[in-house]
Amino acid sequence: MTRNELVAEGLSVTFPGGMQALRNVDIRVGAGEIVGLVGESGSGKSTLGRVIVGLQNSYSGALRFADEALTPRRTRPQRCAIQMVFQDPYASLDPRMTVWQLIHELMVVHRIGTGREDRRQRCEDLMRRVHLPGALLDSRPTSMSGGQRQRVAIARALAVNPRFLVADEPTAALDVSVQAGIINLFADLRQEMGLSQLFISHNLAVVRSLCDRVAVIYRGEIVEMAPTGAIFDAPQHDYTRQLLAAAPDLP
Amino acid sequence: MQQAIKADALQIEGLSVAAQIGEKSYKALDGVTLSVARGEARGLVGESGSGKSLTLRAVMGLLPANLTVTAGAIRFDGRDLLGDGGKLLHEVRGTGISMVFQEPAVALNPVMKVGRQIVDGVAWRRGLSGRQAKELAVELLAQVGIKDPARWVDAYPHQLSGGMRQRVMIASAIASKPDVILCDEPTTALDVTIQAQILALFKALKTDLGAGLLYVTHDLSVVAEFCDSLTVMYAGRTVEQSDDLGALIASPAHPYTRSLLAAVPRIRGPIRRLRGLSSSAPSLTERDQKPAPALVACGPGRQVAPFTAEDERFFARDEEV
Amino acid sequence: MSEREMTATTASGDIARSPGPLKRLRRDNPQLLYGSLIVGVIVLMALCAPLLTSYDPTAQDFMSTLQGPSADHLLGTDNLGRDLWARLLYGARVDLFLATIAVVLPFVIGSTLGALCGYFGGWFDTIVMRIADIVVAFPFYVLVISLVFILGNGVSSIIIAISIVSWIAYARIIRAEAMVLSSTNFMDALHVGGLGVPRIIFRHLMPNVLSQGIVYAMSDIVANIGVIVTLSYFGLGIVPPTPDWGNMMSEGQPFFAGGIYSLMLIPAVAVIVTSYGLSMIGDGLATALRVKR
């Protein structure tokens, strides 16, 4: 068993109005591990991602990252260590800025790199890492395809040297053909940098092709958690079986 | 209607559509050819920008203002829909051919009761009384699998879940007993379990109504669930098609189809690295402006677009950069 | 199929680049072009007033009152023998300057408050919006006129009076836009990036929502010209003899019934043409500033 990178214990979130988004959720992601979080809309899967990354700060339960407790008031290194990629790269990138401006700003704020030359170099490295041509650094995401934008969003997340990535349905808005490239990129990031990931998706086939372990979430509760092979070959919970039966597949 | 003869209800032949951008004209569709018979479900698959939705819009006569049909024919029951200044199209639209959209939340009128929306057109055409219309609406809601239809017939769209709204859309599409139903990614916005139910409904409707379905999606695994035949489009052209979906998926002939299939993540079978497709389809202005070469037969009921060794290399190239 | 790879690497905008920028503007956004031309000419004439006329707009000449257009007096003279062309030009200076200043202040205040409301929500939003509701509850002209009464006639009173009322429109527009943006992943992505709140609001949120405010500002200048001219017409704004289109109209009014229409019509046409030009700029900007996503 690998060292624990992220551990959540007894996480519960109740929204104003009484809706319980998460009920007593336990989840563990090891160093260099990719854990899939599968559920349908309203299951609480995005809320769990937001708690982990620090966007949802009213919750009960305990969060630990790299053997340190995470509180709603996070230190700057803790913020940088856990980054997020969103479903909609159209909404999550400032349309007025070039890729260089988007990434450069983060580097300046977090004092990464020494001077412009060094930062430019780092940006070019990031572009290579996400398989984008360096020439795109000076163009705006608005002129790019959906897949390219998502790669820009990933490059931006990587700019602050995170150890953990929460990916919230990062391929749901993309064509199947483009999705494949993004999935491969997440796999490569783990391979090359040892980046641990929580991969949130409603798509079982996608999760199967990427993740080491899978957690199935239903109405705010994790109903089953197991290694990917076990989930798909021998699902234990009724809901997991239901999801598997519903998922379309090629003959 | 005689469904015994397996005549094509909808035939699209060499359909070309030009887009006017500034002073120049570009090929949005180039020689698209496909057909749908009664009782047949044909999947129309391609990436965004491949022209698959545009093909549906052309059939419905719903092209945006800067797009015009420049060549080809769209035939319904052998009669050309483009020929007589749109009169026949007007007559057929909503009765012979109907359409189900991706976003029922947008396509439904939020201030009209769903029952009324479903039968609005039909009731007017057949001169049904209010009571008759409502009875028909209840019947249709039951047919699309809504439990307790008498209760839901007076509901407004916002009171329904996403899956139910899509069922309502389908109910209104089948109200006039059409021969062809065009479906534009109708399950993309839905959860997996709901999607499975809707696909099962389509499967049942296909046999019950004997209508032909033309089902547009970017997801091959969805059409593989319930379609009989398959057409693959790329950059405004038909790349490959087969009357037997299984045969096409088992042995794709065109390099693009092969790449597309290798990009689909699987639920069963060995887990392997997916194939990220080389840079997505060229945009409208970057496309090959030469006329599309005619499809060639490559087996019973199968056609493929001619391709060169260079195409083969191009589509086999893994990922971007 | 090598051209496919070739074209894929070249920039995609080369079709749009071929015609010159002016030609392109005329094709894509004629309103912006013609609106700017109209307003540009008027502003230029106002700025160059001393070069375009040798008359003092306040100088009276009782030897030549109520004259028609002539080589000496391009548009004729008024009842005090003042040159109408000169008064029109110098009046433009006063009115345009005032109207613009009276937009800048509410624009800055309103946009900032609106963005803060949209970002923070909660009690801050509630308080600001309640104040706005209270101010709006007063009829606009009654409020402005009473403020001018309290503060006294003159330039600064007009600016303050207009500002107190018209920041609200900007605050509401920007607040609505900011709330829409806040509900997307846009804000989330910035927060996760660890950016500070002031940076998020002023560097990311505001620039993305200001365009609607800028478009509105154009129509607001039009409205302000209307307000200033109206106040002057009622003797509440610019103090005579300072030339201003409102004064000119109100002073010309008595002669309208007597068959001398030009005293009133000339400034009125100036107001209409200027307003039309500004409105066209506003519509043009709405097209040009639409954020491409």
Side-chain angles (χ1 to χ4, degrees):
Chain A
M1 191 131 130
T2 52
R3 187 173 58 79
N4 283 344
E5 190 77 321
L6 182 106
V7 181
E9 273 166 356
L11 279 190
S12 293
V13 170
T14 306
F15 285 133
M19 218 277 280
Q20 260 217 306
L22 292 180
R23 296 161 207 252
N24 207 21
V25 166
D26 296 336
I27 197 164
R28 184 191 75 81
V29 181
E33 194 182 28
I34 304 183
V35 172
L37 181 63
V38 176
E40 296 189 290
S41 50
S43 61
K45 59 186 195 300
S46 287
T47 307
L48 180 53
R50 294 173 69 84
V51 169
I52 290 171
V53 84
L55 282 171
Q56 168 72 39
N57 282 322
S58 59
Y59 61 87
S60 62
L63 263 181
R64 296 184 64 74
F65 180 73
D67 296 324
E68 276 177 54
L70 281 180
T71 64
R73 295 201 69 80
R74 295 185 184 187
T75 62
R76 180 168 282 217
Q78 284 176 332
R79 281 178 180 278
C80 289
I82 306 180
Q83 286 296 306
M84 187 161 184
V85 176
F86 298 91
Q87 171 178 347
D88 189 357
Y90 294 78
S92 65
L93 298 170
D94 194 329
R96 298 170 313 108
M97 293 181 135
T98 63
V99 178
W100 157 249
Q101 288 167 332
L102 282 167
I103 300 177
H104 181 250
E105 179 185 36
L106 285 185
M107 289 182 168
V108 170
V109 167
H110 295 290
R111 300 192 191 87
I112 293 166
T114 53
R116 205 183 159 81
E117 287 296 303
D118 179 44
R119 288 181 182 133
R120 186 77 193 183
Q121 188 57 48
R122 282 166 186 266
C123 280
E124 277 161 14
D125 293 345
L126 282 172
M127 293 297 267
R128 252 192 304 282
R129 175 132 268 163
V130 299
H131 305 297
L132 281 178
L136 284 183
L137 258 184
D138 293 312
S139 44
R140 275 170 238 282
T142 44
S143 64
M144 299 179 188
S145 69
Q148 286 175 327
R149 286 183 205 208
Q150 198 56 290
R151 285 170 195 268
V152 170
I154 295 169
R156 189 173 169 276
L158 295 179
V160 295
N161 303 316
R163 290 169 57 179
F164 192 96
L165 196 64
V166 175
D168 188 1
E169 300 258 19
T171 65
L174 302 175
D175 276 329
V176 171
S177 49
V178 180
Q179 164 177 279
I182 300 287
I183 302 286
N184 288 344
L185 176 57
F186 282 118
D188 294 345
L189 291 178
R190 185 256 299 272
Q191 199 69 41
E192 294 162 11
M193 318 166 49
L195 191 66
S196 325
Q197 295 163 43
L198 180 71
F199 190 91
I200 302 171
S201 179
H202 70 282
N203 189 326
L204 285 153
V206 165
V207 164
R208 180 170 181 262
S209 58
L210 178 66
C211 303
D212 307 307
R213 285 187 302 137
V214 178
V216 180
I217 186 168
Y218 180 62
R219 293 191 176 167
E221 281 177 88
I222 294 200
V223 294
E224 185 166 1
M225 180 147 183
T228 305
I231 286 272
F232 284 86
D233 297 337
Q236 298 300 307
H237 196 274
D238 272 349
Y239 180 68
T240 313
R241 288 195 202 106
Q242 217 177 313
L243 275 183
L244 275 172
D249 194 17
L250 293 179
Chain B
M1 261 166 269
Q2 303 93 332
Q3 270 118 37
I5 34 164
K6 192 184 177 286
D8 289 335
L10 177 71
Q11 278 179 308
I12 302 174
E13 237 179 67
L15 181 69
S16 294
V17 166
Q20 196 74 31
I21 300 174
E23 274 114 58
K24 278 188 158 178
S25 156
Y26 298 93
K27 286 177 175 171
L29 291 182
D30 191 4
V32 173
T33 299
L34 61 87
S35 63
V36 183
R38 290 189 174 77
E40 173 190 2
R42 176 174 290 273
L44 180 54
V45 170
E47 296 168 271
S48 48
S50 63
K52 54 192 195 306
S53 295
L54 204 59
T55 306
L56 294 197
R57 292 189 148 265
V59 172
M60 284 307 252
L62 296 174
L63 288 178
N66 63 332
L67 296 182
T68 40
V69 175
T70 51
I74 301 172
R75 278 191 281 272
F76 177 73
D77 262 342
R79 295 182 296 167
D80 193 352
L81 289 179
L82 301 170
D84 60 348
K87 241 186 285 166
L88 180 61
L89 177 66
H90 187 73
E91 182 192 312
V92 165
R93 190 159 56 191
T95 54
I97 307 176
S98 61
M99 187 151 169
V100 181
F101 296 90
Q102 178 177 349
E103 291 281 353
V106 180
L108 290 173
N109 179 349
V111 296
M112 197 193 264
K113 289 176 180 169
V114 295
R116 226 186 104 220
Q117 276 189 68
I118 293 171
V119 294
D120 212 22
V122 187
W124 174 75
R125 238 175 264 119
R126 295 192 203 151
L128 300 182
S129 72
R131 231 191 51 220
Q132 287 170 313
K134 193 162 172 176
E135 277 166 13
L136 178 63
V138 172
E139 205 177 295
L140 286 164
L141 284 176
Q143 198 175 356
V144 295
I146 287 184
K147 291 187 189 75
D148 199 1
R151 187 180 135 222
W152 290 107
V153 75
D154 286 325
Y156 289 94
H158 73 267
Q159 297 169 304
L160 275 54
S161 68
M164 282 176 88
R165 278 188 216 138
Q166 196 53 282
R167 285 176 196 272
V168 168
M169 274 284 298
I170 296 168
S172 80
I174 62 171
S176 59
K177 298 207 175 6
D179 300 283
V180 177
I181 305 173
L182 310 176
C183 309
D184 193 3
E185 309 230 18
T187 65
T188 310
L190 302 175
D191 273 324
V192 205
T193 46
I194 310 295
Q195 167 173 281
Q197 292 167 12
I198 299 286
L199 292 183
L201 172 63
F202 275 124
K203 218 185 263 184
L205 288 177
K206 186 182 72 172
T207 29
D208 294 353
L209 296 174
L213 288 174
L214 184 56
Y215 193 99
V216 160
T217 176
H218 72 279
D219 192 344
L220 267 166
S221 56
V222 167
V223 293
E225 281 294 307
F226 83 106
C227 286
D228 310 299
S229 51
L230 181 63
T231 300
V232 181
M233 283 184 74
Y234 175 78
R237 295 175 175 182
T238 307
V239 160
E240 181 168 9
Q241 59 183 344
S242 170
D243 292 343
D244 180 357
L245 177 137
L248 198 160
I249 286 178
S251 60
H254 197 280
Y256 175 70
T257 318
R258 282 202 288 275
S259 293
L260 200 56
L261 280 164
V264 180
R266 306 288 306 270
I267 289 286
R268 293 177 288 271
I271 300 175
R272 49 169 184 78
R273 191 176 163 90
L274 303 171
R275 168 87 72 78
L277 221 60
S278 53
S279 52
S280 39
S283 74
L284 208 53
T285 53
E286 292 165 345
R287 270 176 205 172
D288 200 349
Q289 295 300 315
K290 293 193 295 275
L295 300 181
V296 288
C298 66
R302 283 192 68 168
Q303 289 127 29
V304 63
F307 54 91
T308 61
E310 202 182 334
D311 290 333
E312 199 140 9
R313 275 197 301 281
F314 178 80
F315 288 119
R317 203 175 60 177
D318 196 6
E319 305 217 343
E320 303 184 21
V321 180
Chain C
M1 207 164 292
S2 59
E3 70 260 69
R4 184 164 49 205
E5 289 177 62
M6 266 168 53
T7 48
T9 53
T10 57
S12 56
D14 44 2
I15 341 107
R17 211 180 295 131
S18 42
L22 262 185
K23 250 189 184 159
R24 199 151 23 109
L25 192 62
R26 202 175 76 185
R27 188 190 64 202
D28 299 338
N29 202 338
Q31 283 175 309
L32 188 58
L33 178 67
Y34 295 126
S36 310
L37 276 178
I38 294 172
V39 176
V41 166
I42 293 171
V43 169
L44 206 66
M45 281 165 66
L47 288 175
C48 304
L51 302 175
L52 295 172
T53 176
S54 52
Y55 288 98
D56 178 344
T58 57
Q60 305 179 353
D61 177 5
F62 293 103
M63 302 304 289
S64 49
T65 58
L66 294 176
Q67 289 187 350
S70 67
D72 275 353
H73 300 283
L74 277 178
L75 294 175
T77 57
D78 68 2
N79 55 319
L80 300 175
R82 295 176 295 194
D83 182 69
L84 279 178
W85 174 239
R87 286 186 70 71
L88 197 68
L89 292 177
Y90 284 95
R93 281 183 156 191
V94 174
D95 288 331
L96 288 177
F97 174 74
L98 262 186
T100 309
I101 293 297
V103 156
V104 171
L105 214 59
F107 177 81
V108 172
I109 298 169
S111 309
T112 309
L113 283 175
L116 294 176
C117 286
Y119 179 83
F120 288 111
W123 59 265
F124 181 82
D125 180 40
T126 312
I127 291 174
V128 174
M129 284 301 124
R130 279 304 82 70
I131 293 173
D133 289 343
I134 292 167
V135 176
V136 163
F138 289 102
F140 178 68
Y141 273 102
V142 174
L143 191 66
V144 171
I145 289 170
S146 32
L147 280 168
V148 171
F149 261 126
I150 297 166
L151 301 166
N153 276 15
V155 173
S156 52
S157 311
I158 294 184
I159 293 176
I160 292 171
I162 291 177
S163 298
I164 285 176
V165 178
S166 62
W167 66 272
I168 291 163
Y170 296 97
R172 285 188 172 160
I173 292 170
I174 300 298
R175 172 180 175 266
E177 296 268 318
M179 286 175 102
V180 170
L181 209 55
S182 296
S183 66
T184 65
N185 289 146
F186 185 80
M187 288 298 169
D188 294 337
L190 296 169
H191 283 293
V192 173
L195 302 184
V197 171
R199 180 181 278 270
I200 290 178
I201 294 177
F202 293 105
R203 292 284 299 273
H204 294 275
L205 176 61
M206 286 198 52
N208 276 292
V209 295
L210 273 185
S211 61
Q212 284 304 312
I214 294 172
V215 170
Y216 179 78
M218 288 304 133
S219 62
D220 204 24
I221 298 181
V222 176
N224 283 351
I225 291 179
V227 173
I228 293 163
V229 168
T230 310
L231 288 176
S232 308
Y233 180 80
F234 288 119
L236 290 167
I238 316 291
V239 191
T242 308
D244 142 84
W245 295 342
N247 280 330
M248 289 173 74
M249 279 195 272
S250 99
E251 287 164 9
Q253 195 191 12
F255 301 92
F256 198 80
I260 304 173
Y261 305 122
S262 61
L263 294 193
M264 196 161 172
L265 281 185
I266 287 169
V269 168
V271 171
I272 292 169
V273 171
T274 310
S275 305
Y276 183 65
L278 284 167
S279 305
M280 274 172 64
I281 294 182
D283 287 346
L285 281 179
T287 316
L289 293 177
R290 199 178 297 136
V291 178
K292 292 177 200 82
R293 284 223 166 250

